[in-house]
Amino acid sequence: MDEWLRTLTNRTVPAAFPADPDCPVLAWAGSGAMALTGHDGAEPVLSPAPAYSLLREALRALSWLTDDLGDRVDLDPAVALTGRAERAGLRRAGRRSANGTSRLLRTIDGWCALTLSRPDDFDAVPAILGADVDGDPWIALEAAAAHSSAAALVQRAQLVGVPASVLAEPPRTLLPWNTSRIADRVDTRSLRGLVVVDLSSMWAGPLCARILGLAGARVIKVESTHRPDGVRTGDPQFFEWLHAGHEFRTIDFRSDTGRKALGELLDAADIVIEASRPRALAQLGLAPEQRSHRDGRIWLSLTGYGRSDPMRVAFGDDAAVAGGLVGLDGGEPVFCADAIADPLSGVCAALAVTAAHASGGGVLIDLSMRATAAAFAAAPPLTHGPHSVHRHGDDWIVECAATQHRRTVAAPAALLPGGA
């Protein structure tokens, strides 16, 4: 993480930024995320504790940057990863995602993940399989996967807009995002009072906006009259937590008046957050390459696979699999936590934006959920010695041989209204 910070800000990490002394595996056990990783009824799995260790470092770095630039934000990593799951009462389900919308499928050469969360996804299953489907579409997909390569099945799903990914070794990359210059830098200013226009929805983008709002920015949440944020009605309390203290605008993107109003909002923004396919904003004449940018502006583009792969869609669980971020049970993959690529991407987006602001801004940040998951999957392995998991009454206990300490595997953390 020190290398991340130096790369992002051209600053030396302060001496007052100490290493975290807690055993990373015991911290993983206490996060609530371990309780969401593994098969239902079986013991939760220890992997991927290195990813959780890196998340704690990222959040400590974010605390340091926000304290330097505005109001300090101390986001609890357990809440970031598991607050939604606690609200919905989700549990670990092995090769079925915690929320039930994604599955890991065994193929002839490995594993892949598919997500069926929207009516259109279910309607597209016959096109993926090239045949009508009678009964449970998941059973049909599992049968087809057993006779297909992972890449071939994923390609057929992506061609019809269904989120799907191959489980592969995570590529090693320094940062899970790229930046390109869109305007000149300015002298660093406080985050307090900066205008953030948030066009994103669901989880990752809104989490970034929440962090910037807690740091002192003025956040304006924009929704389309024809396509409001699904979390607003799907999980109102989670929506309220993500958007507490934000202003709201509802705009008809299809009308000339609406597009003009949205363009004016974007032109007034110091920071823009959007999670659209690049062509969606381009069709409205509102893509970053179609706008003029005043000095210091930061534009965050948050997508499943990055702007260089604009047609592929992703949600949090399949994006995590695409980046190789899974738990391992008996050498076979299980989903990690709850749509983990979403909160990790939200945290990294906030870190990227605050670091860009610290360096004067004037950049487009291209952040990929897959690349984010890969960065955490490739976190340095832990060298803290062996750990064991065993049952004690109704609880699971993790023991650290090196420290002789133990910790109960905690349930998902509760969201606290207004808190981080």
Side-chain angles (χ1 to χ4, degrees):
M1 184 53 64
D2 289 4
E3 189 176 6
W4 275 27
L5 288 177
R6 284 193 295 271
T7 300
L8 291 170
T9 64
N10 297 317
R11 301 183 185 190
T12 300
V13 179
F17 191 68
D20 193 328
D22 192 12
C23 166
V25 178
L26 295 186
W28 168 245
S31 71
M34 182 174 170
L36 294 168
T37 308
H39 289 285
D40 183 22
E43 69 181 45
V45 301
L46 292 171
S47 57
Y52 186 71
S53 183
L54 182 58
L55 172 62
R56 291 195 301 170
E57 290 189 48
L59 288 173
R60 286 166 49 240
L62 190 57
S63 294
W64 169 56
L65 280 169
T66 52
D67 187 45
D68 192 41
L69 297 170
D71 299 326
R72 182 183 178 95
V73 180
D74 294 312
L75 182 63
D76 183 338
V79 170
L81 287 187
T82 69
R84 186 182 80 158
E86 191 277 338
R87 280 276 325 122
L90 304 184
R91 297 292 182 267
R92 62 183 176 275
R95 289 191 281 275
R96 184 178 64 189
S97 65
N99 68 2
T101 62
S102 300
R103 302 284 177 95
L104 278 160
L105 305 177
R106 189 193 302 268
T107 67
I108 60 175
D109 59 352
W111 296 86
C112 68
L114 268 75
T115 298
L116 304 179
S117 63
R118 305 161 297 185
D120 287 350
D121 297 330
F122 286 93
D123 292 342
V125 172
I128 297 172
L129 302 179
D132 292 336
V133 176
D134 294 322
D136 188 341
W138 283 117
I139 294 176
L141 286 166
E142 288 172 358
H147 301 283
S148 173
S149 69
L153 185 60
V154 166
Q155 183 181 38
R156 293 199 300 271
Q158 285 282 353
L159 281 173
V160 292
V162 172
S165 61
V166 175
L167 174 61
E169 287 292 321
R172 295 191 174 273
T173 180
L174 177 60
L175 291 173
W177 61 85
N178 298 305
T179 60
S180 56
R181 185 145 301 282
I182 57 173
D184 288 336
R185 294 182 176 89
V186 296
D187 292 337
T188 301
R189 299 171 292 158
S190 171
L191 285 166
R192 298 185 187 98
L194 292 187
V195 176
V196 177
V197 173
D198 177 20
L199 305 181
S200 68
S201 61
M202 305 303 285
W203 193 350
L207 178 59
C208 173
R210 172 178 172 79
I211 292 169
L212 295 175
L214 291 172
R218 174 192 172 198
V219 179
I220 302 173
K221 164 81 170 179
V222 178
E223 293 176 272
S224 166
T225 54
H226 302 283
R227 193 176 181 181
D229 190 335
V231 179
R232 178 186 285 277
T233 54
D235 193 344
Q237 289 184 296
F238 186 50
F239 183 89
E240 183 178 333
W241 182 81
L242 284 170
H243 299 288
H246 298 176
E247 302 172 34
F248 295 90
R249 302 282 192 279
T250 301
I251 295 177
D252 182 356
F253 293 2
R254 299 176 184 176
S255 71
D256 292 340
T257 301
R259 288 192 292 273
K260 181 175 183 295
L262 181 55
E264 290 172 351
L265 266 179
L266 295 177
D267 291 342
D270 298 293
I271 299 167
V272 175
I273 300 172
E274 51 92 0
S276 306
R277 295 187 193 183
R279 72 175 184 182
L281 286 179
Q283 289 171 344
L284 300 175
L286 299 173
E289 61 272 15
Q290 296 171 312
R291 312 298 297 179
S292 60
H293 301 282
R294 51 194 172 80
D295 293 348
R297 172 170 294 145
I298 297 169
W299 188 296
L300 170 68
S301 176
L302 200 164
T303 59
Y305 290 84
R307 295 178 68 84
S308 63
D309 197 356
M311 299 307 297
R312 297 191 68 179
V313 292
F315 289 116
D317 285 301
D318 56 88
V321 172
L325 184 56
V326 294
L328 292 174
D329 189 341
E332 295 189 341
V334 291
F335 282 108
C336 175
D338 170 30
I340 193 169
D342 268 311
L344 292 182
S345 296
V347 167
C348 280
L351 184 59
V353 169
T354 53
H357 182 65
S359 298
V363 294
L364 167 69
I365 300 169
D366 177 8
L367 189 144
S368 154
M369 292 173 65
R370 173 186 178 271
T372 299
F376 282 85
L382 303 176
T383 57
H384 210 68
H387 295 77
S388 61
V389 183
H390 64 267
R391 193 107 199 200
H392 181 73
D394 293 332
D395 296 324
W396 290 97
I397 306 295
V398 178
E399 292 193 30
C400 174
T403 64
Q404 300 292 299
H405 293 162
R406 60 173 57 187
R407 184 166 297 178
T408 300
V409 176
L415 298 175
L416 300 176

